[in-house]
């Protein structure tokens, strides 16, 4: 699976702008240059996990949301993956999974 740095950069930029923060603000907080922030947001630079973690902390979001675009707090989190897996199951597998889901829901 290839990592889509352009999409990651776009998510970072969108989140930063939604918080009304500038590239300059973020660069200063991360102790990097504005040019480096710009390259990350445009997907030119392959951001490492340490920097991505610092960015997610600065933006107040989960690192997984920046990587995948899905928030773990979202009701749609992993729903596409679940649906794909569910559809690949046999009828008996589907029935078993529904029973397991019912048990999990009761025990939450």
């Amino acid at each position: 699976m290839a990592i889509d740095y352009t999409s990651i950069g776009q998510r970072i930029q969108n989140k930063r702008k939604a918080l009304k923060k500038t590239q300059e603000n973020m660069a200063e907080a991360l102790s990097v240059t504005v040019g480096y922030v710009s390259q990350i947001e445009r997907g030119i630079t392959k951001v490492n996990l340490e920097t991505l973690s610092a960015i997610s902390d600065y933006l107040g979001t989960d690192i997984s949301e920046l990587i995948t675009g899905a928030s773990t707090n979202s009701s749609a989190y992993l729903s596409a993956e679940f649906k794909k897996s569910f559809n690949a199951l046999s009828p008996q597998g589907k029935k078993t999974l529904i029973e397991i889901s019912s048990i999990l829901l009761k025990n939450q």
Side-chain angles (χ1 to χ4, degrees):
M1 178 175 129
I3 297 171
D4 187 350
Y5 289 99
T6 302
S7 293
I8 292 170
Q10 189 65 52
R11 289 184 198 105
I12 291 169
Q13 183 181 61
N14 291 343
K15 185 71 173 177
R16 176 183 58 75
K17 287 182 175 181
L19 295 171
K20 303 206 184 307
K21 297 183 185 248
T22 66
Q23 287 183 339
E24 291 81 7
N25 299 141
M26 191 160 83
E28 185 177 331
L30 301 175
S31 299
V32 297
T33 67
V34 174
Y36 183 63
V37 170
S38 175
Q39 289 177 350
I40 290 170
E41 289 185 352
R42 291 181 288 142
I44 295 170
T45 296
K46 294 180 178 182
V47 62
N48 64 44
L49 285 176
E50 185 177 331
T51 303
L52 194 57
S53 177
I55 291 170
S56 70
D57 288 345
Y58 175 74
L59 297 175
T61 191
D62 290 326
I63 195 169
S64 62
E65 185 175 356
L66 297 178
I67 295 170
T68 66
S71 171
T72 56
N73 298 325
S74 167
S75 62
Y77 179 64
L78 296 178
S79 62
E81 292 85 348
F82 184 81
K83 182 178 179 181
K84 182 178 176 182
S85 295
F86 183 81
N87 288 336
L89 292 171
S90 67
Q92 182 58 43
K94 289 177 182 178
K95 182 178 178 185
T96 302
L97 186 56
I98 289 172
E99 291 169 359
I100 292 169
S101 296
S102 295
I103 292 168
L104 288 172
L105 287 169
K106 288 179 188 175
N107 292 316
Q108 276 193 359

